[in-house]
Amino acid sequence: MNRLAVLIARETALAWGRGGGPLVALGFYAGVATLLPLGIGPEPERLAAIALGAAWVALALASLLSLERLFERDYEDGALDLLVLSRTPLELTCLVKCAGQWLATGAPLALAAPVAAIALGAPPALAPLVLASALLGGIAFAFMGGIGAALSLGARRGGVLTAVIVLPLFVPPVIFGGGALDSFAAGLPWTGGFLLLAAYAAAAVALGPLAMAAACRNALS
Amino acid sequence: MNWAPAFLSNPDRFMAFSRWAAPMFGVIALVLAVVGLWMGFTAPDDYQQGATVRIMFIHVPAAIICEFIYACLAIASFLALVFRHVLADCAAQAAASLGAGFTFLALVTGSLWGRPMWGAWWVWDARLTSVLVLFLLYVAYLALRASLDDEAKASRAAAILALVGVVNLPIIHFSVEWWNSLHQGSSMFTKGALAPVYLWPLLIMNLAYLSAFGSLWLVRIRGEVWRRRAEAAALRAMGA
């Protein structure tokens, strides 16, 4: 248990400190949310129509940003070899890594998501649901993204490759979260989409680490 | 079908088998395509779609086979990952680019059909969108494979991605269906019984695509085996 606590502390500290931590993701998120009205036009009704979807898609994009360094830093300095050799199962290590990634980028982004949605013109009553689905969606993005990051270890231009691998896998959470928000805004039953998003996040947490560990072992073999 | 991978897992036996099987499938595909297209083009115009209905004979088999190829890719990847079998890896690599090609063909012909029928090159229909995501998965597979220099590592990383994709594909299909029924009532495809004049050429074209894929797949696996043998020979020559 002690080993696990140390690992959690290490991964969270690294995720917070890694290249500016949550600030970079938040800055990127703010940038995308600013560019959207500039590209679409300032009319409030047009912006309000896309506010929720735009805030949601920008979240998926922002969570791609720091994925590249999730495993790469440990791969380059040899820490990943030690993590593989340690008595903690590599699957558990990968799970802790992704949880740290979520704490450092997913959770701060989730706090920023309602702000962005309201700034784009979504009704403030939606803020709790935006926050909740962004928290859940962030888990799915972090664990699915971890698979892409682990697979592209040692690749040329790993960052772009991670995005290419991960974006098709982001389709279900983007759809479920966006659907739940849209239904809620339209006054329709929204729990279906929300629960599907939660199910996808849970499946990503359960199965993602297996793929990540296999990919890490492959990269080090 | 259990005997087939076991029998063909021996590379020499595979090469001996594919030597005559590849051209045989190719000839079958050619004959079937000629017959199917001839039947398709001589069929009467559809009362609604006019001559455009003939795109179906090119498009529908491509859309069906690109899913089938992903299943082949996943099975080959599984065999390559678990049993470290070189031929299975060659098969996965050969299937991926073919699958991307057939998916692209399905998207392009669908788009060409959509312009006169729906008045738009592209609509965000559930089926179109999931085929597009399938294409993106193929592209991701090929990109991952291409950007890792170590061939053994590249093949295993790509196999892991193919298996992650096969778990995700049903979820993606479901989510896209769900998204589409949420956003708009789907009335694009009204299902009616297909008249025999269209059904027969369609079935024949399906078989033609299947044998064409079989032939091309075998040819590409053969090419990959020869490439690896040549590389091994070159390494031996350098060492000697």
Side-chain angles (χ1 to χ4, degrees), chain B residues 169-231:
Chain B
L169 259 183
I171 307 175
I172 292 172
H173 277 285
F174 166 75
S175 68
V176 172
E177 295 275 338
W178 184 84
W179 163 74
N180 194 253
S181 60
L182 186 81
H183 282 245
Q184 61 187 73
S186 175
S187 55
M188 226 46 115
F189 294 92
T190 42
K191 284 205 179 82
L194 206 57
V197 269
Y198 299 129
L199 189 60
W200 277 111
L202 189 60
L203 285 177
I204 291 173
M205 284 307 284
N206 268 319
L207 290 176
Y209 269 64
L210 197 61
S211 4
F213 165 64
S215 171
L216 291 172
W217 200 21
L218 290 177
V219 168
R220 291 187 65 97
I221 298 174
R222 284 176 66 83
E224 187 58 30
V225 170
W226 282 122
R227 190 185 66 77
R228 290 184 191 200
R229 284 186 180 172
E231 249 168 38

Side-chain angles (χ1 to χ4, degrees), chain A residues 151 156 161 175 200 218-219 221, chain B residues 146-149 153 157 168 179:
Chain A
L151 281 174
R156 280 168 274 132
L161 183 64
I175 288 178
Y200 193 82
N218 176 38
S221 64
Chain B
S147 52
L148 287 166
D149 288 327
K153 281 185 190 180
N168 262 281
W179 163 74

Side-chain angles (χ1 to χ4, degrees), chain B residues 157-171:
Chain B
I160 294 170
L161 178 62
L163 293 179
V164 169
V166 92
V167 173
N168 262 281
L169 259 183
I171 307 175

Side-chain angles (χ1 to χ4, degrees), chain A residues 71-149:
Chain A
F71 289 98
E72 203 177 58
R73 182 199 198 106
D74 286 349
Y75 176 72
E76 280 166 1
D77 68 9
L80 198 58
D81 292 273
L82 297 179
L83 290 172
V84 170
L85 290 174
S86 90
R87 268 182 293 164
T88 315
L90 186 58
E91 284 79 5
L92 197 60
T93 309
C94 292
L95 189 132
V96 170
K97 268 186 168 304
C98 288
Q101 164 82 5
W102 176 74
L103 273 179
T105 56
L109 279 174
L111 290 176
V115 181
I118 292 171
L120 287 170
L126 278 169
L129 186 61
V130 173
L131 177 64
S133 43
L135 283 173
L136 272 179
I139 295 177
F141 294 148
F143 278 80
M144 277 303 173
I147 297 178

Side-chain angles (χ1 to χ4, degrees), chain A residues 10-117:
Chain A
R10 170 186 188 266
E11 292 305 332
T12 317
L14 270 179
W16 271 93
R18 195 194 293 136
L23 273 180
V24 180
L26 283 174
F28 180 81
Y29 189 54
V32 172
T34 313
L35 278 180
L36 273 168
L38 296 179
I40 290 164
E43 298 87 1
E45 55 277 12
R46 261 169 90 186
L47 279 179
I50 58 132
L52 287 170
W56 186 237
V57 169
L59 195 71
L61 292 180
S63 63
L64 280 176
L65 267 191
S66 43
L67 277 178
E68 186 188 358
R69 300 297 287 165
L70 182 57
F71 289 98
E72 203 177 58
R73 182 199 198 106
D74 286 349
Y75 176 72
E76 280 166 1
D77 68 9
L80 198 58
D81 292 273
L82 297 179
L83 290 172
V84 170
L85 290 174
S86 90
R87 268 182 293 164
T88 315
L90 186 58
E91 284 79 5
L92 197 60
T93 309
C94 292
L95 189 132
V96 170
K97 268 186 168 304
C98 288
Q101 164 82 5
W102 176 74
L103 273 179
T105 56
L109 279 174
L111 290 176
V115 181

